[in-house]
Amino acid sequence: ELFARKLRKIICDEITSTEKTHGIDLMFKIDAAFKKLSKECGEMQDLYDIETNYSINKAEQIKWNKSIWNSLEKFNSWVLKSFFIEKNIVYKE
């Protein structure tokens, strides 16, 4: 969920507000953002597995729970945020 919120924010904020992006450029930017966040998600998962020993270490698990909760709160305005692409322009509702 955290990375879904981050992607929604990138698509709606960074891509659309910095410039008018149309067509293939928009799709490349969305793809690049997705790939970057996918890599970040994988790295975060690896770190989680190491630090919590695959959730066996309960003290570290509690720390991770708090960290994830704080991160989700930071992106709270992007919960189920909808947007649509019409004629290759992203609009947010």
Side-chain angles (χ1 to χ4, degrees):
E1 175 61 24
L2 174 59
F3 290 95
R5 292 180 191 187
K6 286 182 174 187
L7 184 59
R8 288 182 201 116
K9 182 175 182 351
I10 288 170
I11 290 170
C12 291
D13 283 353
E14 294 181 21
I15 292 175
T16 60
S17 66
T18 57
E19 61 185 68
K20 296 234 181 214
T21 307
H22 299 280
I24 210 87
D25 289 337
L26 177 61
M27 300 288 47
F28 279 128
K29 286 187 176 195
I30 291 171
D31 186 58
F34 179 80
K35 287 177 181 174
K36 178 182 175 204
L37 288 173
S38 291
K39 183 177 186 242
E40 185 182 327
C41 181
E43 291 168 352
M44 185 180 221
Q45 182 66 50
D46 291 343
L47 183 60
Y48 164 82
D49 290 338
I50 291 167
E51 290 184 357
T52 66
N53 192 23
Y54 301 92
S55 76
I56 295 171
N57 184 329
K58 298 303 177 191
E60 287 299 317
Q61 180 66 52
I62 290 169
K63 289 178 186 177
W64 269 90
N65 290 350
K66 289 178 183 177
S67 175
I68 295 297
W69 179 259
N70 290 335
S71 295
L72 286 169
E73 286 291 311
K74 180 180 174 186
F75 291 92
N76 201 38
S77 62
W78 298 98
V79 173
L80 299 175
K81 191 74 174 179
S82 62
F83 56 89
F84 61 95
I85 300 175
E86 178 181 299
K87 296 181 183 175
N88 299 316
I89 301 172
V90 175
Y91 298 93
K92 51 184 173 175
E93 296 179 333

